[in-house]
Amino acid sequence: MAAKEPLVITAKDEMRKWSRKMRSQGKSIGLVPTMGYLHQGHLSLIQEAHKHSHLIVVSIYVNPGQFSPSEDLSTYPSDLHGDMLKLKSVPGGVDVVFCPKNLYDYNNDSDEKQKNKNGNENLGAGGGDGNGVVSCVEEKGSGHETWVRVERLEKGLCGKSRPVFFRGVATIVTKLFHIVEPDVAVFGKKDYQQWRIIQRMVRDLDFAIEIVGSEITRDSDGLALSSRNVHLSPEERQKALSISRSLSKAKAAAKEGQVKCRELKDSAILTITQAGGRIDYAEIVDQENLKSVEEIKGPVVFCIAAWFGKVRLIDNMEIDI
């Protein structure tokens, strides 16, 4: 059977028009949001989406709103040609690839044009998280100043060291939901906090969209798949295996009765630092509200972020004893 050739759409209005036409025909639409440089983990999300909808839209968009000016937006890997080849290989195929050029470009707005002429370009700067931290969108002065925040869930874990990240994620996902108008959206559980934030946002804002969490895809040696893995040297990649090994060790220990979180975290931190990693955080939190727990009494998730060289990796493991 010939590989399915997806329709490529770049314009917001065209994307919305396609979705509404398909839904008028009784077809349900599944959305898999990505930032491109696809790997097997992304492809597994598409396969999961096929279980829940008739048609599949994959968005490819590196979102500047979730990066601060000091982060790795300019070095984020990209390979659209390779992505298209991989999408054609997915069983069942992909119907649409939505790859807009800039979802923060409001040049059709005459008011924004006038503001830019007057030199008021940095409308959002200084807003950020309330502490002067801004996103790349604000730094470049696009005029975008409307943000979606899931205020409590965004504060811990990755939110501590990346204060504009989840605000940017929630906002771009909201924009994608309004443009694509899907019935279902699939997110990977590797980004556990992100998945829970999107779930809560959809609930709180009454989006008529089912949010599906898909299990982590790992390489044969246990490393969680990530687009950033390409930046690891062979030596760093080997050392990074300490993350998944420490998580597996903690889960096994919890199953055997070790429920004191401090001891489980200390063991994992020691394993990773001895391997040459630099810990951003290692937290055991409630699976639903993401609050830190001192003792495992119900379903928790052990979340870790660590640096190996210049690459920040995240991973997690659910523990339910």
Side-chain angles (χ1 to χ4, degrees):
M1 181 182 292
K4 186 174 184 177
E5 187 77 36
L7 174 65
V8 177
I9 297 178
T10 60
K12 293 184 284 187
D13 289 346
E14 185 183 349
M15 182 69 254
R16 190 177 289 113
K17 183 178 180 180
W18 180 91
S19 291
R20 291 180 178 181
K21 180 180 179 181
M22 294 301 107
R23 294 182 75 182
S24 72
Q25 297 173 5
K27 302 291 181 64
S28 59
I29 298 170
L31 171 65
V32 179
T34 83
M35 294 209 301
Y37 211 75
L38 305 180
H39 50 65
Q40 188 57 46
H42 295 109
L43 304 187
S44 72
L45 302 183
I46 297 168
Q47 291 174 293
E48 180 66 32
H50 272 293
K51 301 175 184 177
H52 304 273
S53 55
H54 299 111
L55 303 172
I56 306 297
V57 176
V58 174
S59 63
I60 297 179
Y61 182 67
V62 180
N63 172 36
Q66 67 195 57
F67 292 84
S68 73
S70 63
E71 292 179 323
D72 60 351
L73 174 62
S74 63
T75 61
Y76 197 86
S78 176
D79 179 15
L80 184 58
H81 176 70
D83 289 346
M84 295 301 295
L85 293 176
K86 290 172 184 174
L87 291 175
K88 292 178 188 178
S89 74
V90 179
V94 169
D95 297 280
V96 171
V97 177
F98 178 49
C99 47
K101 291 180 174 61
N102 184 359
L103 289 178
Y104 299 92
D105 181 4
Y106 307 113
N107 285 333
N108 291 327
D109 187 321
S110 59
D111 289 338
E112 290 302 328
K113 283 184 177 180
Q114 188 61 44
K115 287 173 183 175
N116 287 335
K117 284 180 182 178
N118 293 338
N120 298 325
E121 295 182 350
N122 209 14
L123 297 179
D129 71 334
N131 295 312
V133 180
V134 298
S135 70
C136 290
V137 167
E138 292 165 293
E139 182 196 40
K140 293 176 181 178
S142 72
H144 183 92
E145 54 180 328
T146 304
W147 301 95
V148 179
R149 306 200 74 151
V150 182
E151 293 187 353
R152 186 181 54 75
L153 287 183
E154 73 172 31
K155 288 182 178 177
L157 302 175
C158 287
K160 288 183 179 179
S161 60
R162 304 190 70 189
V164 302
F165 179 72
F166 288 117
R167 183 195 66 169
V169 168
T171 301
I172 200 63
V173 170
T174 296
K175 287 167 77 72
L176 288 170
F177 284 174
H178 285 316
I179 294 165
V180 179
E181 298 183 346
D183 300 280
V184 178
V186 181
F187 292 82
K189 285 188 180 182
K190 184 177 81 72
D191 300 284
Y192 200 92
Q193 187 177 14
Q194 172 179 279
W195 168 53
R196 289 302 193 190
I197 282 173
I198 299 303
Q199 278 188 324
R200 187 64 55 86
M201 179 188 80
V202 164
R203 185 200 73 177
D204 290 355
L205 298 183
D206 292 307
F207 281 97
I209 301 171
E210 178 187 0
I211 302 301
V212 175
S214 187
E215 299 300 328
I216 296 174
T217 302
R218 299 183 181 277
D219 223 330
S220 58
D221 56 11
L223 186 69
L225 296 187
S226 169
S227 298
R228 289 186 170 93
N229 289 353
V230 69
H231 293 309
L232 293 167
S233 69
E235 182 182 4
E236 288 167 346
R237 193 191 182 288
Q238 192 63 30
K239 291 178 177 179
L241 296 176
S242 60
I243 301 177
S244 58
R245 287 171 181 165
S246 65
L247 288 170
S248 296
K249 180 180 176 182
K251 183 171 184 175
K255 293 285 187 181
E256 294 173 2
Q258 173 54 277
V259 295
K260 298 294 184 182
C261 294
R262 181 73 267 168
E263 295 175 13
L264 294 172
K265 291 190 292 185
D266 286 347
S267 176
I269 291 169
L270 181 62
T271 297
I272 293 167
T273 54
Q274 284 183 338
R278 178 164 54 91
I279 294 290
D280 183 352
Y281 64 77
E283 295 289 344
I284 299 175
V285 299
D286 181 274
Q287 287 184 16
E288 292 289 335
N289 59 37
L290 303 186
K291 290 183 178 179
S292 294
V293 298
E294 295 182 359
E295 185 173 326
I296 300 175
K297 298 179 179 179
V300 299
V301 56
F302 193 169
C303 300
I304 291 177
W307 292 85
F308 284 87
K310 296 181 179 180
V311 184
R312 182 179 180 275
L313 301 175
I314 61 171
D315 199 352
N316 69 77
M317 197 163 287
E318 292 177 321
I319 302 173
D320 191 358
I321 59 174

